[in-house]
Amino acid sequence: MKRWLLKRSKIDTAVMAEELGMKEAVACVLANRGLGERQYARNFMYGTLEDLREPFLMKDMALGIDLIAQGIKENKKIAVYGDYDVDGVMSTTILFRTILRCGGDAIYYVPHRQREGYGLNVKAIEQLATEGVKVLFTCDNGISALEETQRAKELGMTVVILDHHEPGFLEINGEKKDVLPGADGIIDPKQMDCNYPFSMLCAGGIAYKFALALLNVFGIRDEALEKECLCFGALATVCDIVDLLDENRILVRWGLDEIPKTTNTGLRVLMEETGIVGKHISEYHLGFILGPCINATGRLESGQKAVELFCEEDEAKAREIAKTLVRLNEERKSLTTQATVRAIEYIQQDELLKERVLVLYDVDTHESIAGIVAGKIKERYYRPVIVITSSEDGAKGSGRSIEGYDLFQALFRCKELFSRFGGHAMAAGLSLPKENISILRKKLNEECQLTKEQMTPVLRLEKQLGFAEIDMELAKEIQALAPFGKENHAPLFGSKNISVDRVDLIGKNKDILRMTLSEEKSGVRMAGLSFDGYVEMLNLLKELYPQEECDKMMNGGKISHKFDFVYSIEINTYNGRSSVQLMIKDFRLSK
């Protein structure tokens, strides 16, 4: 069961549509995204790289550029210290390659997920010091590394932090105040005293802006490198699931144009090995094909290998690394499936669904896939989930949340239970002694204020449409709103009192619904497709009709009841012919 909510806007979308020369349904989508003003809407639809804001508007960006530039000029050894996920790998690659291009003496360091965990660690810093590192430049981590930053400073290092995660904070007399490391420069738009107008950039996006500014300081115009950095920034932005609005939308939109023609050897051979060369590359290919391969190295081996791929210019060597990434991703898929099945069985046996926050402990789950499993369990049961497994120094876990529950804030209120933790509202990672797991479960559930309504998945509809409003022109205008992702989802629309003239079961398992839909008022017929509605439709019909009639209806028959549908509008191209198709997301009997 899902809740259907129709979005509301005070904007006169009919006037807006006329002014912008678009369908009212599309104007409605833009208004619902807070883009009711003409300039905001135009920037969203037609924004270019020239519309990206000056990087120096970001707190400490100018200082950070100066510190790294000084390190390069003084020939100091610079270590770019990244992270093992896609955002960390991409930002590391961007910064490392750019510093080298500016003549710097640079190395990169990506911590081992199992042995070292997320972020800076003292042992690694001390090792880097023995290797002669004088400048420590973090990316996608560092904002919570108070002790580690202090140790780096004690060892005589200049420390520059580039991060996008939430800083820790103190509440004094009801006012929040950031708790920050003692670095020489901290670039993170989520700092309370950073006035940058858009705080939702990921590390890869911030690194892209940093790289272009650094090249400019050295008077270098390297179009090939700039385009590579754009591709990496786009990959990071999609895979880190940040809001695909404003500057993030621009980075991804223009990055998608460059990725198919990239000059980066590693990225090109990875696309070849995953079989997407020659296809129209979309955000789907970044988030579900390339991204998981990059992530798999950090999960099952070392994220260093992924950075190595994108820095390798020898095609044969790059191809071997790319093949390894693809193999590791297949292994990761298998481990994820097994762990998810175990988690579901555990939840059902222990009747854990009485709890609003699921804290699951499974020693057999590989710690590197805990976050993926948490995400899958969250989608299935729609509540915050933390999956914890054993590690070398106790227990380690990852959490995924739902709208209305700030996971980072909830964990912050339990900070005394952790040896380390970090993240943001929707996702977090943590380490803790095993004996604290039950305490964490109890405390999170005691403090959780989620209502039953909040724990029901929501489908937010942009507008109710009549079938007469749906045509190829509308479908193309909707397509122009892509790339889709967080906060810019593919628009959902609704229609009421729709007849189902025919149902066919298609697909390998005959469990995909292909429907011919019609609207009596307009006489318009539309094709509809539902990938996950088979069981729901079957159960619904069984309540209304005898088994024999159900069988007829589900195999080329007509359903006599009328339905309300929620759907997205897509273009289906087959044998060179294109037509509009409704992708059904949910349905119910009309009242």
Side-chain angles (χ1 to χ4, degrees):
M1 180 66 70
K2 297 183 178 72
R3 287 186 292 150
W4 299 7
L5 296 180
L6 185 63
K7 295 179 181 179
R8 303 288 184 185
S9 169
K10 295 179 180 179
I11 304 295
D12 187 331
T13 52
V15 172
M16 181 180 172
E18 188 174 345
E19 287 182 350
L20 293 172
M22 60 178 56
K23 295 272 192 177
E24 186 177 351
V26 178
C28 193
V29 174
L30 294 175
N32 289 337
R33 281 153 175 66
L35 302 167
E37 291 186 26
R38 184 185 303 181
Q39 191 56 48
Y40 289 156
R42 288 192 187 281
N43 285 349
F44 180 87
M45 296 294 292
Y46 312 114
T48 68
L49 295 173
E50 284 68 40
D51 294 308
L52 294 175
R53 298 176 184 88
E54 277 292 318
F56 299 113
L57 293 173
M58 201 175 295
K59 178 179 178 285
D60 279 7
M61 178 66 81
L63 175 59
I65 294 282
D66 287 345
L67 291 169
I68 298 301
Q70 184 181 347
I72 294 170
K73 291 170 183 175
E74 294 177 0
N75 203 34
K76 292 180 178 178
K77 192 168 189 177
I78 302 170
V80 179
Y81 193 112
D83 185 29
Y84 36 70
D85 70 357
V86 178
D87 193 20
V89 165
M90 295 290 89
S91 50
T92 300
T93 304
I94 290 169
L95 298 174
F96 172 69
R97 287 175 62 82
T98 302
I99 292 169
L100 289 186
R101 181 65 181 84
C102 294
D105 176 12
I107 61 170
Y108 58 84
Y109 188 92
V110 179
H112 192 282
R113 189 177 197 129
Q114 282 77 50
R115 293 197 295 266
E116 299 173 275
Y118 168 77
L120 286 172
N121 70 84
V122 170
K123 190 175 179 181
I125 291 168
E126 290 172 345
Q127 177 60 37
L128 291 171
T130 65
E131 295 173 14
V133 169
K134 299 297 181 186
V135 180
L136 183 63
F137 190 9
T138 78
C139 53
D140 199 27
N141 73 96
I143 197 67
S144 59
L146 278 66
E147 177 189 341
E148 295 83 358
T149 299
Q150 182 181 337
R151 182 59 181 143
K153 293 301 298 174
E154 289 170 357
L155 292 167
M157 293 181 182
T158 298
V159 181
V160 178
I161 291 171
L162 186 155
D163 205 348
H164 74 115
H165 293 99
E166 300 279 355
F169 63 90
L170 290 174
E171 251 185 83
I172 303 172
N173 298 325
E175 279 192 36
K176 289 182 180 178
K177 183 178 180 181
D178 286 338
V179 176
L180 300 170
D184 297 278
I186 301 176
I187 304 165
D188 184 339
K190 289 196 173 74
Q191 295 175 86
M192 291 180 194
D193 59 351
C194 179
N195 297 317
Y196 195 73
F198 184 64
S199 65
M200 297 310 297
L201 287 162
C202 68
I206 301 168
Y208 170 74
K209 298 174 81 77
F210 187 101
L212 265 57
L214 186 64
L215 288 169
N216 191 52
V217 165
F218 283 88
I220 297 170
R221 182 65 202 273
D222 187 331
E223 191 174 342
L225 178 59
E226 289 174 16
K227 287 181 176 179
E228 284 186 21
C229 291
L230 175 61
C231 294
F232 297 146
L235 246 170
T237 301
V238 170
C239 294
D240 218 53
I241 317 178
V242 289
D243 295 0
L244 275 189
L245 299 171
D246 205 288
E247 294 192 315
N248 286 336
R249 173 176 164 79
I250 291 173
L251 286 171
V252 175
R253 187 176 172 208
W254 293 95
L256 284 169
D257 282 349
E258 293 298 333
I259 285 173
K261 52 192 177 187
T262 183
T263 58
N264 183 269
T265 304
L267 181 54
R268 177 173 55 80
V269 298
L270 183 59
M271 289 194 292
E272 290 171 359
E273 291 300 321
T274 52
I276 65 173
V277 170
K279 295 183 179 179
H280 171 70
I281 304 297
S282 71
E283 62 274 21
Y284 169 83
H285 298 94
L286 306 194
F288 294 95
I289 307 294
L290 299 178
C293 291
I294 297 167
N295 265 330
T297 56
R299 295 185 189 283
L300 302 181
E301 285 194 6
S302 168
Q304 294 256 141
K305 191 175 289 295
V307 181
E308 184 184 339
L309 170 66
F310 300 114
C311 296
E312 180 59 69
E313 296 181 359
D314 182 286
E315 182 163 336
K317 291 179 181 177
R319 193 169 298 281
E320 283 306 307
I321 300 171
K323 286 179 183 293
T324 300
L325 265 63
V326 173
R327 175 182 59 77
L328 288 171
N329 190 43
E330 291 302 316
E331 185 181 337
R332 188 272 310 165
K333 287 180 187 176
S334 176
L335 290 171
T336 300
T337 300
Q338 295 168 32
T340 304
V341 169
R342 284 198 308 274
I344 292 169
E345 289 174 350
Y346 174 60
I347 290 167
Q348 292 173 343
Q349 287 171 4
D350 284 39
E351 298 184 337
L352 286 177
L353 293 180
K354 294 174 183 175
E355 298 183 345
R356 285 174 289 185
V357 182
L358 296 178
V359 179
L360 311 175
Y361 178 52
D362 178 17
V363 295
D364 294 323
T365 294
H366 196 287
E367 66 179 71
S368 66
I369 60 168
I372 304 176
V373 177
K376 290 183 177 295
I377 300 300
K378 178 205 79 171
E379 292 300 323
R380 184 181 179 97
Y381 298 111
Y382 204 69
R383 63 196 65 203
V385 179
I386 299 173
V387 173
I388 302 174
T389 186
S390 59
S391 67
E392 293 179 5
D393 54 353
K396 189 178 288 187
S398 288
R400 298 294 182 267
S401 193
I402 62 173
E403 189 178 331
Y405 187 82
D406 190 321
L407 184 59
F408 178 79
Q409 298 275 4
L411 293 178
F412 193 82
R413 289 191 290 271
C414 306
K415 60 182 181 293
E416 70 281 356
L417 299 175
F418 308 120
S419 47
R420 63 193 304 170
F421 79 102
H424 47 81
M426 301 302 287
L430 52 91
S431 296
L432 74 170
K434 291 178 183 176
E435 58 268 23
N436 286 356
I437 295 173
S438 58
I439 303 172
L440 175 66
R441 179 184 292 116
K442 184 180 179 183
K443 188 167 183 181
L444 287 176
N445 276 285
E446 284 177 347
E447 295 185 357
C448 180
Q449 300 296 313
L450 285 171
T451 63
K452 186 176 179 180
E453 187 178 56
Q454 287 176 307
M455 293 167 64
T456 303
V458 176
L459 292 177
R460 286 187 163 79
L461 284 63
E462 310 287 348
K463 192 177 190 297
Q464 183 177 326
L465 295 178
F467 273 14
E469 298 176 76
I470 305 171
D471 56 17
M472 184 60 73
E473 185 182 350
L474 175 61
K476 288 179 178 178
E477 287 187 16
I478 289 171
Q479 205 171 55
L481 300 176
F484 297 121
K486 185 169 179 280
E487 299 303 318
N488 184 40
H489 296 286
L492 296 181
F493 300 95
S495 294
K496 289 185 174 182
N497 298 309
I498 302 300
S499 298
V500 180
D501 293 343
R502 182 182 174 94
V503 180
D504 291 293
L505 299 178
I506 61 173
K508 182 180 177 182
N509 299 317
K510 299 295 182 185
D511 59 356
I512 297 171
L513 299 176
R514 183 174 64 194
M515 296 175 278
T516 301
L517 310 176
S518 66
E519 183 182 54
E520 185 177 355
K521 183 174 66 174
S522 65
V524 175
R525 303 180 92 196
M526 303 290 302
L529 201 66
S530 172
F531 284 99
D532 58 3
Y534 169 75
V535 173
E536 187 178 348
M537 179 65 82
L538 187 61
N539 290 339
L540 192 153
L541 294 180
K542 282 180 178 178
E543 292 180 8
L544 299 171
Y545 306 102
Q547 183 66 48
E548 187 177 342
E549 283 191 56
C550 286
D551 291 341
K552 287 180 182 178
M553 291 177 186
M554 293 293 278
N555 288 278
K558 175 183 173 69
I559 302 175
S560 54
H561 277 78
K562 290 188 178 181
F563 287 79
D564 302 336
F565 287 98
V566 173
Y567 51 84
S568 61
I569 301 171
E570 295 189 6
I571 299 172
N572 178 43
T573 302
Y574 182 71
N575 284 342
R577 296 182 63 185
S578 294
S579 60
V580 178
Q581 183 170 260
L582 307 184
M583 303 303 293
I584 307 299
K585 306 302 179 184
D586 201 15
F587 51 81
R588 65 190 182 197
L589 290 171
S590 299
K591 293 179 180 178

